Amino acid sequence: MKLRKVSAAAAAALVLALTATACGGDDGDSNGSGSGGGDKIKIGIKYDQPGLGLKEPDGSFSGFDVDVATYVAKELGYKPDQIEWVETKSADRENALSRGDVKMIAATYSITDERKQKVDFAGPYLLAHQDLLVKKDSDIKEGTDLNGKKLCSVAGSTSAQNVKDEIAPKAQLQRLGGYSECIAGLQSGAIDAVTTDDSILAGFAAQDQYKGQFKLTGLKLSNENYGIGVKKGDTATVNKINDALEKMVSDGAWDKAVKDNFGPANYKNEPAPKIGQIVQ
């Protein structure tokens, strides 16, 4: 009788231990909410931006944002095979973080005062500039040349609206789901110009199927400070990411990532920005 009582107690203790273990596993599993070393970390990126965030035909991922996020994840305790890449459209970035769909977002995510009301940012880790991509023989040279022209950008991006508000009020805005659609429209002649950050445009212009067809106008229409977005209030993660970014610059990995991803497009990048230093 005594043996049966001891066995029952042991069984109960085992059930409680297994239950506690299962609950603890959920906390660090789905989006990397722990301090690192969990099973997986979910990171939001773009899937359609060559040179920055691109899903390759074989299912792998490439680009500067991918390299930066991989380095940061490593510093947080995650190996490359522990990263789950999640496609994050421009219009859904804030929602993806607030819902907890991802732990962080590295997706050409410019730091703005409006966005800082909804999410927190680490970085910046790259200073880009808004520019225009046009056909090689286009007569568009200045922002004002866009009046009466069809200007494309993507839903959720502020680039095209900035041009219309400040430079070319008669520009005809076309907002599509992704930059690949804008570039296809530019190639076909349905679009006259595509506007977004020069880093993004350079990545598309360097693709094999587009080489020699397009040109960057070289207009620095704005300063875009790329940051890594995290859920509002997650100061601990922001600090850890900032430490990782500083290390990436100091050990030369940042320069290598720039060369690997933007070199083919002859992209003239700015030096690595200082953490917390926003260029207006």
Side-chain angles (χ1 to χ4, degrees):
M1 193 73 173
K2 184 176 180 181
L3 180 61
R4 293 183 64 187
K5 287 182 178 178
V6 171
S7 299
L14 178 61
V15 169
L16 288 173
L18 290 173
T19 302
T21 301
C23 292
D26 286 344
D27 287 341
D29 198 32
S30 61
N31 62 3
S33 58
S35 60
D39 289 341
K40 292 285 184 180
I41 181 170
K42 292 185 177 182
I43 302 178
I45 59 169
K46 295 293 181 65
Y47 275 23
D48 65 345
Q49 290 181 353
L52 286 152
L54 182 68
K55 185 174 183 179
E56 302 285 0
D58 64 1
S60 64
F61 297 90
S62 67
F64 183 72
D65 284 347
V66 173
D67 288 349
V68 169
T70 300
Y71 188 100
V72 168
K74 178 194 71 174
E75 294 301 307
L76 295 181
Y78 297 92
K79 298 177 181 178
D81 62 2
Q82 291 178 293
I83 299 173
E84 182 177 338
W85 301 110
V86 179
E87 183 176 21
T88 312
K89 300 281 189 182
S90 294
D92 196 44
R93 288 179 296 205
E94 287 82 23
N95 290 333
L97 287 169
S98 65
R99 290 192 304 257
D101 295 346
V102 294
K103 180 66 173 177
M104 67 181 78
I105 293 177
T108 60
Y109 205 179
S110 297
I111 302 171
T112 67
D113 289 339
E114 181 180 359
R115 288 169 178 164
K116 285 193 292 185
Q117 301 301 312
K118 301 176 182 177
V119 303
D120 285 339
F121 285 98
Y125 63 90
L126 184 72
L127 175 60
H129 304 285
Q130 184 181 345
D131 200 353
L132 303 174
L133 187 69
V134 298
K135 280 194 170 182
K136 191 174 182 180
D137 59 355
S138 173
D139 58 358
I140 296 174
K141 296 181 175 63
E142 302 291 340
T144 53
D145 293 334
L146 292 168
N147 282 310
K149 303 289 188 181
K150 294 180 180 178
L151 176 65
C152 189
S153 192
V154 302
S157 172
T158 58
S159 300
Q161 191 63 52
N162 289 343
V163 171
K164 185 174 179 66
D165 290 346
E166 300 174 16
I167 301 172
K170 295 182 180 179
Q172 300 173 31
L173 302 190
Q174 307 288 318
R175 292 187 178 89
L176 300 180
Y179 290 111
S180 56
E181 297 172 48
C182 286
I183 300 298
L186 182 63
Q187 185 182 41
S188 70
I191 298 295
D192 296 305
V194 182
T195 186
T196 187
D197 306 345
D198 51 8
S199 55
I200 298 172
L201 298 172
F204 277 107
Q207 284 190 296
D208 289 339
Q209 67 265 40
Y210 298 133
K211 278 184 179 177
Q213 297 183 44
F214 308 134
K215 64 181 179 182
L216 287 164
T217 60
L219 303 177
K220 293 184 177 181
L221 300 177
S222 70
N223 296 316
E224 305 297 334
N225 301 270
Y226 288 178
I228 295 180
V230 302
K231 191 172 185 178
K232 188 69 177 174
D234 192 356
T235 305
T237 298
V238 168
N239 292 336
K240 290 175 183 177
I241 294 174
N242 281 337
D243 289 342
L245 293 174
E246 288 180 340
K247 182 177 178 181
M248 187 177 186
V249 172
S250 66
D251 69 11
W254 188 90
D255 285 324
K256 183 179 184 302
V258 169
K259 184 177 180 180
D260 289 347
N261 293 291
F262 299 129
N266 196 31
Y267 171 65
K268 305 254 189 309
N269 66 283
E270 300 277 5
K274 300 292 185 183
I275 297 300
Q277 182 176 308
I278 305 301
V279 178
Q280 301 295 335

